[in-house]
Amino acid sequence: MNLRTKALNLLLELSAGPCKCPAHSSANFFPVSSQLSSNEKEYAFEIISPTVRFGPGVTKEVGLDVLNLNLKNVCVITDSNISKLAPLKVTLDSLAKHQVKFEVYDQVRIEPNEESFKQAARFAIGSNFDGFIAVGGGSVIDTAKAANLYSSYPHADFLDFVNSPLGKGKTIDKPLKPLIAIPTTSGSGSETTAAAIFDYTPKKAKTGIQGRYLRPILGLIDPEHVLSLPERVSAYSGFDVFCHALESFTTLPYTERTPRPSNPSQRPTYQGRNPVSDVWAQFALSTLNKYFERSVFHSDDKKARYNMHLAASMAGVGFGNAGVHLCHALAYPIAGMAKNFNPEGYNKDHPIIPHGLSVVVTAPTVFEFTSPACPERHLRAAELLGANVLNAKKDDAGLILSDVIRTYMQKLKIENGIGALGYTEDDVPRLVEGTLPQVSL
Ligand SMILES: NC(=O)c1ccc[n+]([C@@H]2O[C@H](COP(=O)([O-])OP(=O)(O)OC[C@H]3O[C@@H](n4cnc5c(N)ncnc54)[C@H](O)[C@@H]3O)[C@@H](O)[C@H]2O)c1
Ligand SMILES: [Fe+2]
């Protein structure tokens, strides 16, 4: 079997498996059994596009947005670091100006876990909030989604909505309160997604909660906020964008997905790559080529930081409709088993491997492996990232792209391999064990 067929077959086999991925797999809002009505391949794709508003200073509109939604008492969720910075101040000033009643919860854990989700939910329960505003990175936005969910289901068991097999995977069957997300990192794209990710500490594994009602109703993409991003946060969260774009551009096409659902409402959000998700992914890749390095090392380079902020949301919409694959699947145990890694610039009292780092650390190897399935796309991605591929051979596509990725990693001072994150060969079996359940990726 040639390499191309082998890689394609493996990807097809994985994509046909039941969804177990916490964050980036197709959200199964319906029981899997009800979707398995046909073994025919998919013939259609659908684009679910969240509402986002981009512009420097756009946060000051949030008070009016809250009034337009007729909200009377909102819960503002942030972390203890952002609570001292401009993004929160601008948000609260706008709420005050428009006489909106609010309370602030600033105890979000960076890389949240089940306890920190529950703590935020306890804050929200009983306060009679009719809306939420998240001001922060993916950790904050995901915590706000969880607080919104559990305050709307105050009697639910925490594991009810957590993805199976760790949780019970129950469907969120009613709309939640409106959530407005104001991202302050250029990374997760959580303002556009329908997932909330956390470390499930009993299993030392990341997992998540998914459901269309978790998605914020509005993302205010204000690039002024990312001017204060520390260098390492800018680098690591930027590599999350990098992998969202690369993976969604090289994931299986929607036409290869089987079985196709019998009811259009059951078409998964992560449908496979399609002409529209390609647009978002390619935009993000060429933006990364122009601005990633500049934005990391020059916090005062407004043009670079603004463009990276836009690219993060664009890549979010792209992967939100296409899906991602191996880098993300491998990242969950890498991040979930973090031992002693303490990155600079992160506000935390516990070891963490930031999500973007856990994702990119395997990327050079991943794309060398996946290249035979669609070498033209791997070459195109390398080109968008700045490589000259004029006379390149398809057989070399994987090596070319992984060299490009390595060059970005070196320039942006990214740790070289999982050994640098504290893992030894003895950890490999558990890392594999944690990866295999991410079937759909
Ligand atoms: N829900 C989803 O679809 C989705 C997708 C990808 C990642 N995630 C999750 O998002 C989390 C990572 O989020 P992230 O990378 O956006 O970062 P983060 O929210 O974890 O924040 C990282 C650090 O940067 C600081 N920070 C944030 N904005 C800042 C600013 N403007 N100025 C100064 N400091 C700032 C924070 O205080 C924190 O110390 C992970 O838990 C990951 O699993 C979720
Ligand atoms: Fe990600």
Side-chain angles (χ1 to χ4, degrees), residues 176-318:
L176 307 179
K177 311 272 167 57
L179 163 64
I180 298 175
I182 306 178
T184 62
T185 59
S186 302
S188 74
S190 178
E191 66 281 4
T192 67
T193 74
I197 315 303
F198 65 98
D199 283 325
Y200 187 52
T201 43
K203 296 283 181 198
K204 282 188 175 276
K206 275 206 173 210
T207 186
I209 304 167
Q210 279 182 313
R212 62 180 69 200
Y213 295 126
L214 285 179
R215 197 188 305 274
I217 61 153
L218 173 65
L220 291 178
I221 318 297
D222 187 341
E224 295 279 310
H225 296 332
V226 290
L227 297 177
S228 58
L229 272 182
E231 182 198 289
R232 283 302 87 195
V233 179
S234 183
Y236 294 143
S237 54
F239 272 112
D240 196 16
V241 181
F242 190 94
C243 288
H244 290 159
L246 273 182
E247 290 173 65
S248 58
F249 190 60
T250 53
T251 196
L252 281 174
Y254 70 97
T255 44
E256 293 293 338
R257 203 186 68 247
T258 52
R260 76 164 186 248
S262 57
N263 185 320
S265 71
Q266 296 170 5
R267 192 159 275 125
T269 46
Y270 284 26
Q271 300 160 79
R273 67 175 201 246
N274 57 68
V276 179
S277 66
D278 281 353
V279 174
W280 302 104
Q282 292 184 86
F283 173 89
L285 290 171
S286 57
T287 306
L288 286 157
N289 178 32
K290 283 193 211 128
Y291 298 113
F292 191 9
E293 190 181 344
R294 273 171 61 177
S295 80
V296 168
F297 294 119
H298 303 281
S299 59
D300 56 349
D301 185 338
K302 282 194 175 186
K303 190 167 183 193
R305 290 224 164 181
Y306 282 19
N307 275 285
M308 281 297 293
H309 206 40
L310 182 59
S313 277
M314 300 281 249
V317 180

Side-chain angles (χ1 to χ4, degrees), residues 26-49:
S26 53
N28 278 308
F29 303 115
F30 301 88
V32 168
S33 58
S34 72
Q35 293 185 19
L36 303 181
S37 57
S38 154
N39 277 323
E40 287 171 56
K41 284 186 177 172
E42 183 59 279
Y43 69 96
F45 68 92
E46 178 176 315
I47 296 296
I48 301 169
S49 206

Side-chain angles (χ1 to χ4, degrees), residues 22-24 78-83 85-87 108-112 117 135-142 145 183-199 206-207 209 224-230 232-234 236-238 240 244 270 305 319 328 332 335 344-348 352-356 358-359:
H24 296 89
T78 192
D79 69 49
S80 59
N81 179 31
I82 305 286
S83 73
L85 302 176
V108 166
R109 184 183 199 263
I110 298 307
E111 302 282 328
F117 268 12
V135 187
S139 298
V140 167
I141 300 173
D142 287 2
K145 290 174 182 174
T184 62
T185 59
S186 302
S188 74
S190 178
E191 66 281 4
T192 67
T193 74
I197 315 303
F198 65 98
D199 283 325
K206 275 206 173 210
T207 186
I209 304 167
E224 295 279 310
H225 296 332
V226 290
L227 297 177
S228 58
L229 272 182
R232 283 302 87 195
V233 179
S234 183
Y236 294 143
S237 54
D240 196 16
H244 290 159
Y270 284 26
R305 290 224 164 181
F319 87 76
H328 273 80
Y332 287 115
E344 270 174 38
Y346 282 74
N347 181 36
K348 37 99 188 92
I352 59 168
I353 298 177
H355 175 67
S358 67
V359 167

Side-chain angles (χ1 to χ4, degrees), residues 328-346:
H328 273 80
L330 292 159
Y332 287 115
I334 292 174
M337 287 165 53
K339 296 177 184 180
N340 48 17
F341 191 72
N342 274 302
E344 270 174 38
Y346 282 74

